[in-house]
Amino acid sequence: MDVDEAVADEHVRSAAYQRIIPVIADSPSREDDRAIVAKILRDPRPMTAKTAVVALVDEIAAAANDPAAFRRWADEVLPEADLRAAGVDHEFIGRRIHDWVFSLSMKDGRVPAPAELAEVTDWMQRRIAESSLSLPVLGLLAESGRTKKIRNVAKNRADLLSRSERR
């Protein structure tokens, strides 16, 4: 394989990002994250860079427990000015970070208000409906989820959890 040709191919770069993102996220140290993101943002294709940055955000958030610590990490590693300069959709990434902060804030059993739920994306509402073990959260989603699919998933999961708790 010609390395220069491979590096010139956005699909090869994207596949490489997807292979290294889990390794980066799995590292016990977050020291190099900003430098790594800066390198990713230099990718000539903003969509390729955005996809890689969102994958890193998702991996870091999925392993996080503290919404405030995750927010600090995001603010430090993903400054809006850097994202804008790279031509990356900073609003999308900002919404993704907001979604994760919301989700992480419920790890301690907190049930959000319907207005808070309305501020997160369909993606996060569906993700919570598919994974939450909280009957009050699932009940809220069953009533206030943005789409019929979200409401149905939440209702079905709540029913399943209720049946399993009665056994």
Side-chain angles (χ1 to χ4, degrees):
M1 173 185 289
D2 181 325
V3 172
D4 291 332
E5 188 177 317
V7 170
D9 184 335
E10 71 185 274
H11 301 289
V12 172
R13 291 191 316 275
S14 182
Y17 294 144
Q18 296 310 313
R19 282 192 305 275
I20 64 167
I21 293 296
V23 174
I24 294 164
D26 210 25
S27 170
S29 170
R30 304 274 47 102
E31 283 179 25
D32 297 329
D33 288 358
R34 183 173 171 123
I36 291 166
V37 168
K39 285 180 185 172
I40 292 170
L41 291 176
R42 287 196 291 271
D43 192 283
R45 305 277 304 183
M47 182 57 83
T48 302
K50 177 184 113 175
T51 301
V53 169
V54 168
L56 181 62
V57 166
D58 289 348
E59 291 273 346
I60 297 293
N65 289 312
D66 179 1
F70 172 72
R71 171 50 94 181
R72 284 190 302 277
W73 172 85
D75 289 345
E76 181 181 313
V77 172
L78 303 165
E80 188 175 315
D82 290 356
L83 297 172
R84 282 180 193 261
V88 171
D89 185 353
H90 64 283
E91 291 176 5
F92 180 87
I93 294 171
R95 282 191 308 274
R96 183 59 66 97
I97 291 165
H98 176 267
D99 280 354
W100 278 113
V101 170
F102 174 83
S103 177
L104 290 168
S105 74
M106 293 187 307
K107 278 196 170 185
D108 64 359
R110 184 180 81 78
V111 178
E116 291 176 290
L117 180 64
E119 292 178 4
V120 298
T121 63
D122 293 358
W123 175 83
M124 184 52 76
Q125 286 189 10
R126 189 174 59 253
R127 183 176 170 82
I128 294 167
E130 292 169 348
S131 64
S132 180
L133 298 175
S134 166
L135 285 173
V137 168
L138 290 170
L140 176 62
L141 281 163
E143 290 178 23
S144 304
R146 191 172 292 112
T147 68
K148 185 175 182 177
K149 179 175 181 168
I150 292 166
R151 293 188 301 271
N152 285 339
V153 168
K155 181 186 178 318
N156 290 338
R157 283 196 32 81
D159 290 347
L160 257 167
L161 286 174
S162 292
R163 283 194 300 266
S164 68
E165 285 182 1
R166 286 184 283 215
R167 288 182 192 154

